[in-house]
Amino acid sequence: MSVDTLTSNHVNYLIWRYLQESGHGEAAVKLQRDWIPDPQTLPFAQYIKTHALVVLVQKGLQYYEIEQSINQNEPRPPSSSLSSLFFGPQSCRATSTLKEDVSEEDGVCALRFSPRTRKHGRESAANGLSLELPATERATKRSRRSNGTEGSIGGDDLDYQSNANAVLANAENMADATASATVNGDNGYLQAEAPPESTSNANSLLEESDNQSQIGGDGGGNMEIDDEDTAATEQDHKDQEQQDEEDEDEDEPSQALVTLTLSTGQSVGVQSDKVVELGSESTTLRVPDKNVLHTAWNPQDPAILATGGIALCRIWTTVTNLYIDILDPTDDSLVTAMAWSPSGDVLAVATRSHTSDWTSMVSLWTKSGKSIAELPAALDMVLIFRWNPSGSHLLAITSSGRGTSALVIWDVQSSQALSPFQLSHVVTDATWSNDRKFLICGHGIIAESIIEGENITGFHSRADVDKDQSWTNLHFDPPTQTLALAAEESAMLGIIDPSGKLHTIIAHDSELITLAFQTHGAQESYQTHSPRLLVTSSLDGDIKIWDSKYPFTTIHSLSLGRSVPAMAIGFSHDGYFVAAANSNHILIWNAKEGGTPKASWSGELDTWQSPANGVDQDSGIGEEDDVTTHSLSWNSDGSKIAYGLGSQIAIIDFQT
């Protein structure tokens, strides 16, 4: 019979699942951040059942008890049954009282658990999961056998090893019964439904094994119990019970009631007023005579960072701050778009040379900087790359510079391009909703389309869109199948719900700058009744966190201070933190708690250069921007933030 090998990943996964099932969502996320970004990707995760840790520990305790009864062959004092408990005798008083119940007719000793009745009433937290067993009737005191025929043990010789094997078999039945636990809707307790017969039989065998181990030898013969010893033992037992009750009365007021939040799907954290300064925990990477327009962390490797801009296309290893230039550093080409595939194996880069008018070259690279392929060039300049979820197709939005756009899709495996789809609108953004369907927005247009074979088909433009309204910042949220987008030069926020209905609200007092959905991490951990967070920033200086579900309520209003607008915002990959940045300042909040920031970073005067008087450099895309390009992104495990501005990149360590 093969035996499982227990590794740290097994233990961590069981604890992570237990924390989620018990409502300690915040603790589960902290463990996830320090261990692995998505535990559900572990190969054994699909085989783990609900309450697996509880079942495993319960089985272990049962086997421990069996081992104790088998191995202890010498006579034991009456209190040995308590002292041999895995957690010690005090464990009986923590939540449940261990009592021994003896049937007068058959002499069977059954171990039962009954929750203590509080003498001082308290409200119980019904929205959590407690591992307290259901109440049973108070067990009667154990009857001591007197000398005579009723007190004799033996008569017939018993096979001790056979008895032990039966104990093991019955204990497995008991553990299996534990696995069929259900949650009581009235009190939130985990209620075990064990078959009475198997429990009784197992405990009976445990008791008989206990008796034989006290007798010693081969289990034969009679043992008479002296009257004096019996009386002394009963008195000791009464004294011990009285002492236990006194200890219970003393300990009772000090017991704290743990607030659990399984029904709400989130944990209530305690916000510290102290803001951690991250200035000393950052490194500034400089790229003299170049301009950083893009920063993109590898989605799987937290140490790999790609940067691009004017005469810049570089892959950094942030552990050593070493880099590889994947384009000729003497070339003055402009990197107009770059994006990692979902697997992190491929980096797509679009470049435009000043000598080639608007034509863009598109190339694919490994994370080590090796060339994979040159894709067919786009006739116009590539503005945006978007990978589909599986990484099989790469979508690009191109601009002719004359008020028209085109959609170009490459099949990465064959390195071939599908037939371009020409549009008479300026398209500003796009997103995939699945491997075949994508959506776009732009000047007077919100539309969707699909790919079939080698063509873009089924193009459908919404009829409820104002032709004079321009849209940008299009984002899709897979768990809720919701779309969010911002109206250009307006404070209006658009939300397209799962039914396809477009809702618009005035989200701020001034123009929207950017927005982002809370990243979903492991979608299996998302609970449908929980809020779905969306963050927006505006020129009015406010940063708002919304519940993107209808009716779109504001959960938190935040700010960088003094009406300074946040030019870049972003959630950590686990959705736990949100960061906002302006030219020389970054604040990081707990997304659910809001309030006081968890941490802050400020650029030092001697190491960080902010744009003078807010004047921007030419981005090279064909028109001067109103503000400097700010590029903020989190690495895959949430331990670092990259912030690109001008000719510098701040790598900020954020360890929680």
Side-chain angles (χ1 to χ4, degrees), residues 364 373-376 392-393 409-418 454:
L364 304 179
E374 292 285 339
L375 300 181
S392 63
H393 289 80
I409 297 178
W410 291 272
D411 184 328
V412 176
Q413 186 173 3
S414 65
S415 298
Q416 297 299 312
L418 279 62
E454 298 181 356

Side-chain angles (χ1 to χ4, degrees), residues 72 76-85 88-89 92 98 100 142 144 210 214 233 236-237 240 244:
Q72 295 178 3
R76 296 175 294 167
S79 61
S80 63
S81 61
L82 289 179
S83 62
S84 64
L85 292 176
C92 297
L98 179 65
E100 295 182 0
R142 179 172 180 170
R144 291 296 177 184
D210 252 3
Q214 292 180 35
T233 301
D236 290 343
H237 211 65
Q240 182 64 39
D244 287 349

Side-chain angles (χ1 to χ4, degrees), residues 345-375:
D345 295 329
V346 181
L347 176 67
V349 178
T351 57
R352 170 208 169 193
S353 174
H354 288 290
T355 62
S356 62
D357 198 17
W358 284 77
T359 302
S360 288
M361 303 300 295
V362 179
S363 54
L364 304 179
W365 304 81
T366 67
K367 65 180 182 181
S368 61
K370 295 181 179 180
S371 176
I372 298 175
E374 292 285 339
L375 300 181

Side-chain angles (χ1 to χ4, degrees), residues 33 168 200:
R33 289 172 59 82
L168 289 170
S200 175

